[in-house]
């Protein structure tokens, strides 16, 4: 084998070494992209629960205002009845007296209706308070889960970033040992083919796309004159047992 052949073998070895590093770099970067999604879901659930809590608070307020209004109404009615009662002795004719009595009866009937509504309102108020308390507990749990997940994510991201930095500095050491034209060819494929730029051939099969590799391609490879790519996926090929 010529000196050039040994050089190409060395270059292939360097590319394989780079590929091992790049595979991890791609994996870490993918994890950094995908991980936040899990926490986003929990965050959305937490926000939805908070919105529901707000609705329940609004509902309780509406009931409280309505109760207050009905209580004022009741007070006014009671005062009206007392006033009408007090005026009975001032009436001169039986007709006026009977009319006022009837009026008082009607006022009392109105008052009873308001009292009933107030009683129902208390039940509603109680139910709304209970629903609110229950929802507060639910929201607290969702908040706890979200915060725990967020903390876990932040910790994991920090670890991945550390590992990524290590791999990137390893890459900076190895990359300059590859011929610039080989490096740019490899990197182009790496980025186009999801982090896999150079693959080994196993049993006449491309390790990237798993398609059959012809004898002719293998013969080309064995010459070690130039980089040989897979006809199907364009990834750079190598024979593992020859390196
Ligand atoms: Zn292939």
């Amino acid at each position: 084998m010529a000196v050039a052949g040994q050089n190409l073998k060395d270059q292939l070895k360097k590319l394989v070494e780079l590929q091992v590093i790049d595979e991890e770099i791609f994996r870490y970067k993918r994890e950094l992209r995908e991980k936040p999604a899990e926490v986003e879901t929990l965050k959305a659930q937490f926000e939805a629960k908070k919105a529901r809590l707000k609705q329940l608070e609004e509902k309780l307020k509406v009931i409280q205002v309505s109760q207050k209004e009905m209580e004022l109404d009741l007070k006014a009615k009671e005062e009206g009845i007392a006033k009408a009662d007090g005026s009975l002795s001032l009436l001169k004719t039986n007709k006026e007296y009977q009319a006022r009595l009837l009026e008082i009866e009607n006022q009392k009937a109105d008052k009873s209706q308001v009292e009933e509504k107030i009683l129902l309102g208390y039940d509603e108020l109680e139910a709304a308070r209970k629903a609110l308390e229950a929802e507060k507990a639910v929201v607290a749990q969702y908040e706890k889960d979200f915060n725990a997940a967020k903390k876990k994510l932040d910790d994991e991201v920090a670890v991945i970033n550390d590992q990524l930095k290590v791999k990137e500095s390893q890459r900076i050491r190895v990359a300059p040992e590859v011929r610039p034209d080989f490096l740019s060819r490899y990197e182009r494929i790496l980025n186009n083919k999801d982090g896999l730029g150079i693959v080994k051939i196993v049993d006449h099969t491309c390790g990237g796309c798993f398609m059959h590799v012809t004898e002719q391609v293998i013969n080309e490879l064995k010459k070690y004159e130039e980089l040989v790519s897979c006809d199907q996926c364009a990834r750079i090929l190598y024979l593992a047992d020859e390196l």
Side-chain angles (χ1 to χ4, degrees):
M1 191 187 301
V3 175
Q6 189 53 49
N7 281 346
L8 198 85
K9 267 196 186 183
D10 286 342
Q11 286 292 299
L12 282 171
K13 275 187 202 166
K14 289 289 168 199
L15 281 173
V16 171
E17 198 181 329
L18 206 53
Q19 176 64 77
V20 171
I21 297 167
D22 280 335
E23 230 176 295
E24 297 204 62
I25 288 176
F26 266 74
R27 183 164 57 82
Y28 291 143
K29 285 186 174 173
R30 190 167 53 242
E31 282 177 8
L32 288 175
R33 275 198 310 275
E34 291 171 356
K35 278 206 169 287
E38 304 159 22
V39 172
E40 285 306 310
T41 306
L42 285 175
K43 190 177 181 207
Q45 286 171 345
F46 170 47
E47 294 295 337
K49 290 287 164 191
K50 271 204 289 193
R52 165 96 182 116
L53 184 67
K54 208 168 158 56
Q55 280 178 356
L56 291 177
E57 279 169 349
E58 295 296 328
K59 193 183 169 190
L60 181 64
K61 255 186 224 161
V62 168
I63 299 170
Q64 281 171 332
V65 167
S66 151
Q67 282 294 91
K68 198 95 198 155
E69 281 170 0
M70 285 194 291
E71 277 162 12
L72 286 174
D73 187 26
L74 180 66
K75 203 167 169 241
K77 284 191 162 52
E78 280 168 346
E79 281 167 3
I81 291 165
K83 208 174 156 195
D85 268 338
S87 71
L88 279 174
S89 58
L90 303 172
L91 297 174
K92 304 224 165 33
T93 69
N94 187 46
K95 199 182 167 195
E96 281 175 325
Y97 188 82
Q98 292 302 329
R100 183 62 52 89
L101 270 187
L102 186 63
E103 203 181 295
I104 291 171
E105 282 313 306
N106 287 338
Q107 282 178 315
K108 283 183 175 169
D110 275 358
K111 187 191 135 192
S112 300
Q113 276 190 346
V114 175
E115 280 172 337
E116 256 175 63
K117 277 188 192 166
I118 289 174
L119 282 178
L120 288 175
Y122 280 133
D123 289 344
E124 230 184 305
L125 205 59
E126 188 55 27
R129 277 205 184 106
K130 272 187 186 157
L132 187 63
E133 285 313 307
E135 194 62 20
K136 271 184 190 167
V138 170
V139 170
Q141 187 59 49
Y142 270 83
E143 184 171 23
K144 211 175 137 194
D145 290 349
F146 165 67
N147 285 337
K150 178 84 173 66
K151 168 92 175 63
K152 186 167 166 272
L153 172 75
D154 289 346
D155 291 349
E156 284 172 357
V157 164
V159 169
I160 295 170
N161 273 323
D162 273 353
Q163 289 168 327
L164 184 59
K165 262 186 214 146
V166 170
K167 289 295 150 190
E168 278 171 342
S169 60
Q170 284 177 358
R171 188 178 209 284
I172 287 168
R173 271 209 324 273
V174 177
E177 295 172 21
V178 180
R179 253 172 59 180
D181 55 333
F182 286 178
L183 187 63
S184 63
R185 179 168 160 186
Y186 160 76
E187 283 178 342
R188 197 170 54 246
I189 303 165
L190 184 78
N191 291 318
N192 287 336
K193 300 283 175 183
D194 200 28
L196 210 51
I198 180 165
V199 291
K200 68 178 162 193
I201 295 175
V202 180
D203 296 334
H204 282 71
T205 302
C206 166
C209 66
F210 306 107
M211 298 298 279
H212 179 74
V213 176
T214 62
E215 201 59 47
Q216 191 193 340
V217 169
I218 288 171
N219 287 335
E220 280 300 311
L221 264 167
K222 283 180 174 170
K223 286 185 200 162
Y224 292 100
E225 284 173 1
E226 54 191 334
L227 294 183
V228 178
S229 285
C230 170
D231 291 335
Q232 306 293 330
C233 70
R235 290 183 179 97
I236 300 164
L237 297 170
Y238 70 95
L239 294 160
D241 51 7
E242 296 228 341
L243 290 187

